[in-house]
Amino acid sequence: MSCFRTLIILIICLAAGGSAAAMRPEMVRVALFKGAETLRIDGDGVLLTDGRGEPLRVEMPLEVRRSGSGLSVNGRAVNRLVASAFSRITINGKGYRALIEVSAADKGLLVVNELPLEEYLVGLINCEISSAWPIEAIKAQAVIARSYAVYQMQARRGASYQLESSVMDQVYEGADVEDSRAAYGVRETAGEVLSYNGKTIQAFYHSNCGGHTESSKNVWGLSIPYLQGVSCRYCGDSNPIRWELNLPLKKVESSLKGAGFQVAGLRELRVRGRNQSGRVQDVVAECSRGSVVIPAVAFRKALGYGSVKSTNFELRGSRDEVQVIGTGSGHGVGLCQWGAKGRANEGFDYREILTYYYPGVKLSGGYGR
């Protein structure tokens, strides 16, 4: 880390009420954009440096593009751009805190936000749930999001970033979605993570399990002791528990072919087997040259997670289309967010919520250290 960046982080901590002797906050690196063609960066009191750590004197706002193996910043060639501010930096109209790094990627631009972990969590709450939910559900979300982040930070130590800002990791949209209830939930659980056998867990979570959470083995082929699946009766009246869609068989065939399945001449789809949670194990595709067995998780991925919202579904077919009727939303592993909301409404505190959905875990302070 450059002396300039260390100085900026120290000043930010002091501005937030810390002291020079205080420990540097736990920092996280989040990829905001991957492959962006152009960026507009703006803000007040923004400090800029180039790839060598030297001050970069250009006027705001900035237009940043890929140029050769480096960048063009308002027409000026630099290797890399680092922007920092005491308030906010806007990128394509969205506000972010602390440090922004822009560098050339294999395609387009890579934008990474480096900021204190606790501030990252405040900007995450309203992306994953709503801060209008019961405060114990917000606290539970803060702990699992922190646990997930810490696990990834350890697993990806030394990488250019530890987390993506999308559903690939956790959805994060920066400072514009922060509010006092989100900040309160994060502050009341500061530093707390879930651990199993002394190690921070992979705290997977999802929107709505539809009545029973899923075992990690059925989704990813790996059995994890605290991700075995539990009954959940608190999400039953929640949206989006039930959904349906009608798909032309030709479109399904095209999507499955794109995922590598040999389903030429697709005629019919049917469910084969269900696991303990009630979710589909396999889908059988009847084709012109015989049957093809497709794991349900691969079927869902091929057709799109936004369309086939879970693997808890039924299939009803006609001559040239299939109707998919489903329950729940998400992979089903770990905490059910709508179930946590229901439990909080019934008076459970966040510790009780967490230990129910992740059996055998412990709540640890100080980021599990």
Side-chain angles (χ1 to χ4, degrees):
M1 176 175 292
S2 70
C3 293
F4 179 82
R5 181 180 299 175
T6 303
L7 176 61
I8 291 299
I9 291 171
L10 178 59
I11 294 173
I12 291 172
C13 292
L14 288 170
S19 68
M23 290 182 61
R24 179 173 176 266
E26 195 80 9
M27 305 295 287
V28 63
R29 292 175 58 81
V30 184
L32 302 179
F33 303 93
K34 296 169 64 180
E37 294 295 325
T38 184
L39 301 170
R40 179 183 171 87
I41 300 176
D42 204 355
D44 295 325
V46 179
L47 302 177
L48 304 171
T49 62
D50 62 15
R52 299 169 298 173
E54 296 296 325
L56 184 63
R57 294 178 175 84
V58 290
E59 290 192 10
M60 306 294 283
L62 307 180
E63 183 179 273
V64 184
R65 299 179 179 273
R66 174 77 181 267
S67 177
S69 60
L71 312 175
S72 168
V73 180
N74 288 1
R76 179 172 173 179
V78 298
N79 291 331
R80 190 165 57 100
L81 173 68
V82 178
S84 57
F86 304 132
S87 54
R88 299 186 185 188
I89 303 170
T90 63
I91 305 175
N92 293 349
K94 286 188 177 182
Y96 298 93
R97 296 191 181 278
L99 293 168
I100 299 294
E101 290 183 5
V102 185
S103 58
D106 292 338
K107 294 182 178 180
L109 303 171
L110 171 64
V111 183
V112 175
N113 186 194
E114 182 177 351
L115 75 165
L117 175 57
E118 300 298 303
E119 292 185 12
Y120 160 73
L121 296 173
V122 178
L124 173 149
I125 295 296
N126 276 301
C127 302
E128 290 289 351
I129 59 170
S130 167
S131 63
W133 284 15
I135 196 64
E136 295 302 313
I138 298 171
K139 291 179 186 178
Q141 180 65 50
V143 173
I144 59 176
R146 185 183 294 111
S147 301
Y148 184 91
V150 168
Y151 182 93
Q152 299 294 55
M153 289 162 66
Q154 294 168 348
R156 300 171 183 172
R157 192 182 304 277
S160 57
Y161 58 87
Q162 291 95 37
L163 293 161
E164 297 197 27
S165 58
S166 69
V167 293
M168 295 299 294
D169 281 311
Q170 302 185 117
V171 181
Y172 168 70
E173 295 188 357
D176 294 343
V177 296
E178 298 173 354
D179 62 31
S180 59
R181 283 178 60 83
Y184 179 80
V186 171
R187 186 170 63 250
E188 287 294 294
T189 63
E192 292 183 346
V193 296
L194 295 173
S195 62
Y196 186 86
N197 285 344
K199 296 182 179 179
T200 303
I201 72 167
Q202 289 181 284
F204 292 110
Y205 55 92
H206 59 280
S207 178
N208 188 310
C209 72
H212 200 291
T213 66
E214 180 63 293
S215 167
S216 60
K217 185 175 182 179
N218 293 331
V219 179
W220 300 300
L222 179 64
S223 181
I224 300 174
Y226 50 85
L227 296 175
Q228 294 300 309
V230 298
S231 176
C232 175
R233 64 183 181 87
Y234 290 92
C235 60
D237 297 327
S238 306
N239 288 324
I241 188 171
R242 301 192 187 283
W243 49 270
E244 63 179 71
L245 69 155
N246 296 299
L247 297 171
L249 281 178
K250 288 191 177 295
K251 181 177 180 180
V252 175
E253 179 178 325
S254 175
S255 297
L256 292 174
K257 284 180 176 178
F261 294 100
Q262 303 302 312
V263 292
L266 179 64
R267 298 172 179 170
E268 182 187 359
L269 294 166
R270 56 185 171 84
V271 167
R272 189 183 78 169
R274 294 182 182 271
N275 56 40
Q276 184 180 1
S277 71
R279 289 171 175 80
V280 177
Q281 290 180 323
D282 298 301
V283 172
V284 178
E286 299 293 349
C287 307
S288 58
R289 295 188 177 181
S291 300
V292 177
V293 178
I294 305 166
V297 291
F299 178 81
R300 180 181 176 228
K301 181 179 180 180
L303 269 64
Y305 296 131
S307 297
V308 181
K309 297 183 184 298
S310 78
T311 55
N312 192 351
F313 57 76
E314 298 176 1
L315 296 174
R316 298 176 185 174
S318 63
R319 175 171 295 183
D320 55 8
E321 74 173 18
V322 62
Q323 185 180 39
V324 189
I325 304 170
T327 301
S329 180
H331 50 61
V333 179
L335 180 136
C336 169
Q337 291 170 315
W338 282 91
K341 177 179 184 285
R343 285 179 167 269
N345 280 331
E346 292 294 319
F348 292 92
D349 70 22
Y350 76 101
R351 298 175 183 86
E352 294 171 313
I353 293 170
L354 294 170
T355 53
Y356 181 79
Y357 286 107
Y358 305 97
V361 302
K362 293 183 178 179
L363 196 62
S364 306
Y367 302 106
R369 290 193 293 266

